[in-house]
Amino acid sequence: VRVYVTDRENNVSPTNSLSWVVDTTKPTKPDIAGTPANGSVTNGVAYDLTAKSTDATLITYHWLMDGVAASTATNFTGAVASGFASHEVQCYATDQAGNVSETNGWTWTVDTLAPTNLVISGYPANGSVTNGTSFRLTATAMDDMALTYHWSLDGGDEVTTTDEAFEDDVADGYGKHVVTCYAKDTAGNVSVTNSWKWTVDTEAPTKPEISGTPANGSVTNEPNFHLSAKATDKTAITYHWLTNGVAAVSVTNFEGKVTEEGEFVVSCYA
C-alpha cells in the first residue's frame, strides 16, 4: 500500500508505503533422518537426528523427546539413559507466519543390558564319561529382547541357534570335549560364556590279567581263593567277576571260599 498527501493548492507530498506478505500455507511435514534408525533396537545411548521441511519463509524446527519439548535446532543430538527403554522423538516445523506443519515421529529402543542366567542342559551329562559319540545341548537365558545362542565345539567354528538344539557327533576313540555357549540379544548385548565338558571313550579296556591262588588250572584241597585282576585303560576301571558263569562281585581283588568239590571257573572282564 502507498500513500501521498495533496493540499488545496495541489501540492503533492512525498509517497510513503507499507507492505506485508500473507502466508497461510503451512510448512511440509518434516522428513527426519539420522541414527539410530527409526524402529531399531540398539545398545548405544547417543542419537543424532536431522529434520528437513520446505516453506516459502524461514522455518524453525521443534523437537520433543518422549513428549517433552527439547530443542528448536535443525540437528537434534544427545544421549539417553542406559538400561532398557523405548524412546520417541517428534518434530514439527513453524514458519515466520506462525503456520504449523504436521508432526513426524522417530522411535527406537535402547537396550544396554546383557542377557543373564545362561543355563546349558542336555546330554551327555556335564563332566561325564561316555562311550557314545553324539551330543545334544540346549541353552536358555533371560533378557527383554529376542535371543540367539552362539555355540562352539572344541574351539571350532561358531554355530548360531534360537530355539533349536546344538547337536552333532564327535570322533570315535578317546577324547575330551568342551562346548562353549553365549547368548546375544537383538541389541547386540552379549552374556557371559558358559561351558559343558565331557569325555568320550569308545576304546575297551585291555583283557584283564588274573593272578593269585590257587594257580590257574591247578587241583587243590584248599577251598579258599584269592584273585586279583589288572587291565589298562585311559579312564577308571571296574572289574566284574563271575563264578561258574554267574555274576559275583565288582571289585579289584576277589576273595572267597568254594563250598563244593568239582571244577570251579572264575572269569573276569573290565
Side-chain angles (χ1 to χ4, degrees):
V1 172
R2 291 184 293 179
V3 60
Y4 62 90
V5 179
T6 60
D7 59 18
R8 284 182 293 181
E9 305 300 324
N10 288 324
N11 297 307
V12 179
S13 73
T15 299
N16 205 347
S17 64
L18 180 67
S19 64
W20 67 93
V21 175
V22 174
D23 178 11
T24 61
T25 302
K26 62 185 179 182
T28 61
K29 182 178 181 179
D31 290 326
I32 303 174
T35 57
N38 190 25
S40 65
V41 178
T42 177
N43 58 5
V45 297
Y47 57 88
D48 185 352
L49 302 175
T50 301
K52 183 175 179 60
S53 178
T54 58
D55 192 78
T57 64
L58 186 65
I59 292 173
T60 300
Y61 297 97
H62 302 264
W63 298 90
L64 297 87
M65 166 61 81
D66 296 329
V68 178
S71 174
T72 54
T74 303
N75 299 322
F76 182 37
T77 61
V80 296
S82 299
F84 179 84
S86 295
H87 298 282
E88 181 180 17
V89 165
Q90 295 173 304
C91 182
Y92 65 89
T94 58
D95 61 18
Q96 289 178 296
N99 299 301
V100 180
S101 74
E102 295 180 45
T103 299
N104 205 350
W106 194 268
T107 62
W108 72 96
T109 298
V110 170
D111 179 10
T112 63
L113 304 176
T116 59
N117 297 335
L118 176 65
V119 176
I120 302 174
S121 59
Y123 67 84
N126 189 26
S128 65
V129 178
T130 177
N131 61 1
T133 59
S134 63
F135 66 89
R136 187 178 192 275
L137 302 175
T138 58
T140 59
M142 296 179 62
D143 197 78
D144 291 312
M145 308 299 295
L147 294 174
T148 55
Y149 298 96
H150 302 261
W151 304 85
S152 176
L153 170 64
D154 297 331
D157 293 340
E158 190 172 277
V159 176
T160 301
T161 66
T162 51
D163 296 326
E164 70 272 20
F166 176 46
E167 52 189 331
D168 205 346
D169 290 283
V170 296
D172 289 329
Y174 178 85
K176 295 181 181 293
H177 300 283
V178 57
V179 165
T180 57
C181 179
Y182 65 89
K184 181 186 289 188
D185 64 20
T186 307
N189 301 301
V190 175
S191 74
V192 296
T193 299
N194 207 346
S195 63
W196 192 269
K197 300 177 182 179
W198 73 98
T199 300
V200 170
D201 180 10
T202 62
E203 299 173 351
T206 59
K207 183 178 179 179
E209 295 178 1
I210 302 175
S211 61
T213 58
N216 188 25
S218 65
V219 178
T220 180
N221 61 1
E222 172 59 55
N224 295 312
F225 61 89
H226 306 273
L227 302 174
S228 296
K230 183 175 178 60
T232 59
D233 195 76
K234 293 184 177 70
T235 63
I237 293 174
T238 301
Y239 297 96
H240 304 268
W241 297 89
L242 299 87
T243 56
N244 293 331
V246 178
V249 292
S250 297
V251 295
T252 302
N253 299 318
F254 182 27
E255 299 180 349
K257 184 177 182 178
V258 178
T259 58
E260 297 178 357
E261 291 186 353
E263 184 179 31
F264 194 71
V265 178
V266 171
S267 56
C268 180
Y269 67 91

